């Protein structure tokens, strides 16, 4: 069995026709039929019910299709990642979520440039899910995100847990009470402004998950396009939002920030890299990140690439 057999079978399964699959593959129909027949003989099972019109997969064929598509995807990703490693263009492409850009990432990049002044840094704003895709297709070399996604080709390094805060209008009753902290239950009757609306899953899903973990259902929430829109609406008195601690100084004359009680609610800061990618550039980037954390007094757990 070769990868081309899998590609042939997947094309037939998706087109439900040998003729259409042959056109898609730019080959003639008789050789395609023979290749599929040889595959079935090698497997010892019938994968396609040829008596059905359009063609239909057998139970074994459905099982084989699901796994064949995964293998082909991993093969394509491996090729893209290897090409990225093999054709080094003197740059390091970094994906990031917007909220991390307000934290230590600019300092990390600045110090990295001092260590590697000849390396060009390319920045891409991508949410955590998009970073996974960009790593596997070779668009970026490393990503800084906030959500965990399972993907066999990507390694997640938990850098630290960042405290979350409530952002509310400066004249909001919560802020007028001069409280030192707040609980998530205090927000149950507030209009929550959550971001970003798309693409999903996103920080919205993480925040709603926090409410669910505490058995609290927010009575009202609105989804907005991005972080800055959420803060703009908070400043206008349209509701409150939840942000990482690094944002606590934004729009300080219009918005007040309160930490959660005991600092129990946090958002992870995650470094995403390709599995088994142990390049010196990535090692330096991680080491620089830890240096900044030490200087800032952050609690973190060290890992190695």
């Amino acid at each position: 069995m070769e990868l081309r057999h899998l590609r042939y079978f997947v094309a037939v399964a998706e087109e439900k026709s040998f003729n259409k699959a042959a056109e898609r593959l730019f080959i003639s129909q008789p050789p395609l039929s023979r290749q599929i027949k040889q595959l079935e003989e090698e497997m010892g099972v019938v994968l396609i019910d040829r008596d059905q019109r359009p063609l239909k997969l057998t139970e074994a064929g459905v099982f084989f299709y699901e796994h064949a598509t995964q293998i082909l995807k991993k093969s394509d990703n491996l090729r893209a990642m290897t090409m990225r490693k093999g054709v080094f263009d003197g740059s390091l492409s970094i994906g990031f979520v917007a909220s991390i850009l307000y934290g230590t990432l600019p300092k990390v990049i600045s110090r990295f440039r001092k260590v590697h002044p000849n390396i060009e840094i390319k920045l891409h704003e991508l949410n955590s899910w998009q970073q996974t895709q960009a790593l596997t297709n070779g668009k970026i070399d490393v990503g800084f995100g906030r959500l965990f996604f399972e993907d066999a080709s990507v390694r997640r390094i938990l850098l630290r847990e960042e405290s979350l805060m409530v952002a509310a209008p400066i004249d909001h009753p919560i802020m007028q009470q001069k409280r030192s902290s707040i609980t998530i239950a205090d927000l149950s009757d507030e209009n929550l402004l959550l971001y970003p609306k798309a693409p999903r899953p996103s920080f919205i899903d993480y925040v709603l998950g926090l409410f669910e973990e505490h058995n609290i259902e927010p009575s009202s929430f609105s989804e907005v396009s991005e972080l800055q829109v959420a803060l703009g609406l908070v400043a206008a008195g349209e509701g409150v939002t939840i942000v990482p601690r690094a944002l606590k100084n934004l729009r300080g004359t219009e918005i007040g920030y309160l930490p959660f009680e005991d600092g129990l609610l946090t958002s992870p800061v995650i470094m995403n890299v390709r599995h088994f990618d142990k390049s010196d550039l990535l090692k330096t980037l991680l080491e620089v990140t830890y240096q900044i954390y030490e200087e800032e007094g952050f609690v973190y757990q060290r890992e190695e690439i």
Side-chain angles (χ1 to χ4, degrees):
M1 188 192 310
E2 300 176 16
L3 283 177
R4 62 186 173 87
H5 293 121
L6 301 186
R7 296 191 189 281
Y8 290 167
F9 171 77
V10 167
V12 174
E14 292 178 348
E15 298 295 339
K16 298 181 174 59
S17 163
F18 279 101
N19 286 329
K20 291 181 180 179
E23 292 176 4
R24 168 173 157 178
L25 295 166
F26 301 102
I27 61 176
S28 59
Q29 186 269 329
L32 175 60
S33 297
R34 287 196 298 271
Q35 292 287 339
I36 299 298
K37 189 65 176 176
Q38 290 173 6
L39 176 62
E40 290 177 317
E41 290 173 353
E42 181 181 343
M43 299 286 290
V45 294
V46 176
L47 300 173
I48 299 173
D49 185 349
R50 291 165 176 76
D51 295 330
Q52 299 284 337
R53 289 293 182 275
L55 297 178
K56 185 178 180 180
L57 298 181
T58 63
E59 184 177 349
V62 171
F63 176 84
F64 188 74
Y65 170 77
E66 291 173 351
H67 288 271
T69 53
Q70 293 179 27
I71 292 171
L72 291 174
K73 179 183 177 182
K74 289 180 180 178
S75 172
D76 291 340
N77 289 341
L78 177 60
R79 181 171 63 248
M81 290 187 289
T82 303
M83 289 174 63
R84 171 65 184 163
K85 295 295 293 183
V87 187
F88 180 62
D89 61 359
S91 69
L92 184 71
S93 293
I94 301 175
F96 66 93
V97 296
S99 62
I100 289 180
L101 198 62
Y102 292 97
T104 58
L105 184 59
K107 294 180 182 179
V108 169
I109 293 173
S110 177
R111 187 166 301 183
F112 177 87
R113 283 190 166 124
K114 292 178 181 178
V115 179
H116 292 287
N118 296 322
I119 298 297
E120 179 186 4
I121 302 293
K122 298 177 180 179
L123 297 174
H124 306 267
E125 184 179 356
L126 302 166
N127 75 6
S128 299
W129 172 243
Q130 291 172 321
Q131 288 178 30
T132 299
Q133 297 173 306
L135 281 165
T136 55
N137 65 28
K139 179 180 179 180
I140 64 174
D141 302 299
V142 58
F144 291 89
R146 290 193 179 273
L147 300 181
F148 283 100
F149 293 102
E150 290 297 327
D151 190 295
S153 60
V154 176
R155 177 186 173 194
R156 318 289 179 182
I157 299 175
L158 175 60
L159 296 175
R160 67 186 185 96
E161 291 283 351
E162 182 176 2
S163 298
L164 293 174
M165 306 188 79
V166 174
I170 202 75
D171 58 356
H172 191 286
I174 290 177
M175 295 301 165
Q176 295 300 308
Q177 294 169 9
K178 304 298 182 182
R179 301 169 59 171
S180 60
S181 63
I182 195 170
T183 69
I184 195 168
D186 293 328
L187 303 180
S188 59
D189 294 326
E190 299 289 340
N191 179 38
L192 288 170
L193 301 164
L194 303 181
Y195 59 90
K197 180 184 295 186
R200 302 288 286 273
S202 71
F203 192 62
I204 286 179
D205 304 284
Y206 181 76
V207 170
L208 292 177
L210 292 176
F211 277 88
E212 186 176 346
E213 287 176 16
H214 289 78
N215 297 314
I216 298 171
E217 184 173 348
S219 59
S220 173
F221 69 87
S222 305
E223 299 179 7
V224 299
S225 60
E226 58 159 338
L227 167 64
Q228 287 293 351
V229 172
L231 291 176
L233 291 173
V234 169
E238 293 298 309
V240 303
T241 192
I242 295 176
V243 299
R245 187 179 182 85
L247 281 72
K248 66 178 182 178
N249 295 319
L250 292 184
R251 307 187 76 136
T253 61
E254 305 162 294
I255 297 175
Y257 296 88
L258 265 179
F260 283 99
E261 198 171 82
D262 300 325
L264 293 178
L265 295 188
T266 63
S267 171
V269 178
I270 304 162
M271 184 175 180
N272 302 308
V273 297
R274 285 184 282 269
H275 258 309
F276 311 116
D277 190 343
K278 301 181 183 297
S279 74
D280 289 338
L281 293 182
L282 291 181
K283 291 178 181 178
T284 300
L285 187 67
L286 183 58
E287 183 57 35
V288 165
T289 300
Y290 289 147
Q291 289 174 9
I292 301 293
Y293 284 1
E294 289 281 353
E295 295 167 10
E296 299 286 339
F298 293 145
V299 176
Y300 69 95
Q301 184 173 345
R302 179 179 289 268
E303 290 191 41
E304 301 296 334
I305 287 182

